[in-house]
Amino acid sequence: MTSLSRRARIALAATAAGSAAVLGFAVLPSSATATPAEKPAASAAKSEKSAKADAITRAQMLERAATWLTANNGAQVPYSQTEVWSDGYRQDCSGYVSMTLGLWKSGPNTVELASNRDLTTPINLGDLKPGDLLIDADGSNTTRHVVIFEKWTDDSHTAYSAFEQRGGHGTDHRTLDYGLSSGSEYKPYRPNNLTD
């Protein structure tokens, strides 16, 4: 190219750069060094959320649920929709359930627990097993709730023992009847990563 005039060399370089741009190549000065593109934070969070949780047994889930009953220096973890406990999970009902299932931190909300088929599957009330969930996904953040079914209190199936993280109290283990009356907004779901 030494025989070409300076003007011809500039025109040739511009044409080559334009062609590369049309074909999708980046034209970098020779001093530039390629660096790997950084993954956007939103993409990283999304891929973490879409990753399936590791399988966990029903017994392991209930053992994890019991840990928050005394995790606060012998007392229950206090309830909060904004605070995160030392294990990285939100201190509300859905954060609590996320912790027991080993889902991503700080956990999906109640609506996502009910609607995301990667997380749960609707089941019949009569099919409830330890570790299954009863979820009220309707209403606002002050009315939605999720509880962890432990076992029926007797053969009549009119009440069950459950774990929950409830406002004004914190972590609790008590007898409930949520979802048992006709027309209840609480619906039964099975976490997909639970194993027998």
Side-chain angles (χ1 to χ4, degrees):
M1 289 200 4
T2 55
S3 62
L4 292 174
S5 70
R6 183 171 188 264
R7 182 177 288 179
R9 285 194 303 249
I10 291 172
L12 185 59
T15 302
S19 297
V22 167
L23 294 173
F25 298 112
V27 179
L28 300 172
S30 59
S31 62
T33 56
T35 58
E38 290 187 27
K39 193 174 195 179
S43 295
K46 184 173 181 176
S47 66
E48 181 182 326
K49 287 181 180 182
S50 48
K52 297 222 179 205
D54 292 336
I56 182 172
T57 67
R58 293 175 185 282
Q60 288 170 322
M61 181 193 183
L62 295 176
E63 286 170 15
R64 287 182 182 183
T67 63
W68 271 26
L69 289 169
T70 57
N72 187 19
N73 295 318
Q76 74 272 14
V77 172
Y79 181 89
S80 174
Q81 291 185 1
T82 57
E83 298 294 318
V84 173
W85 191 242
S86 59
D87 58 11
Y89 290 95
R90 234 178 17 263
Q91 294 171 215
D92 60 7
C93 60
S94 54
Y96 175 56
V97 167
S98 299
M99 178 277 292
T100 67
L101 290 169
L103 302 179
W104 68 86
K105 297 175 183 179
S106 68
N109 64 24
T110 304
V111 173
E112 187 171 5
L113 279 172
S115 62
N116 186 335
R117 292 291 74 90
D118 288 336
L119 300 176
T120 61
T121 302
I123 60 172
N124 292 319
L125 198 58
D127 294 333
L128 283 168
K129 293 182 180 180
D132 288 338
L133 307 174
L134 285 128
I135 304 175
D136 175 358
D138 295 335
S140 70
N141 66 326
T142 61
T143 61
R144 293 186 294 256
H145 195 46
V146 54
V147 300
I148 302 167
F149 178 88
E150 181 186 29
K151 62 184 178 183
W152 294 109
T153 55
D154 58 38
D155 291 340
S156 69
H157 290 195
T158 55
Y160 55 90
S161 63
F163 290 93
E164 67 178 328
Q165 182 73 359
R166 62 186 175 104
H169 181 82
T171 316
D172 207 354
H173 181 238
R174 62 185 183 145
T175 300
L176 299 173
D177 62 0
Y178 300 162
L180 302 184
S181 61
S182 177
S184 172
E185 292 178 344
Y186 283 87
K187 306 295 180 214
Y189 294 85
R190 178 152 297 149
N192 292 344
N193 67 324
L194 275 189
T195 64
D196 290 325

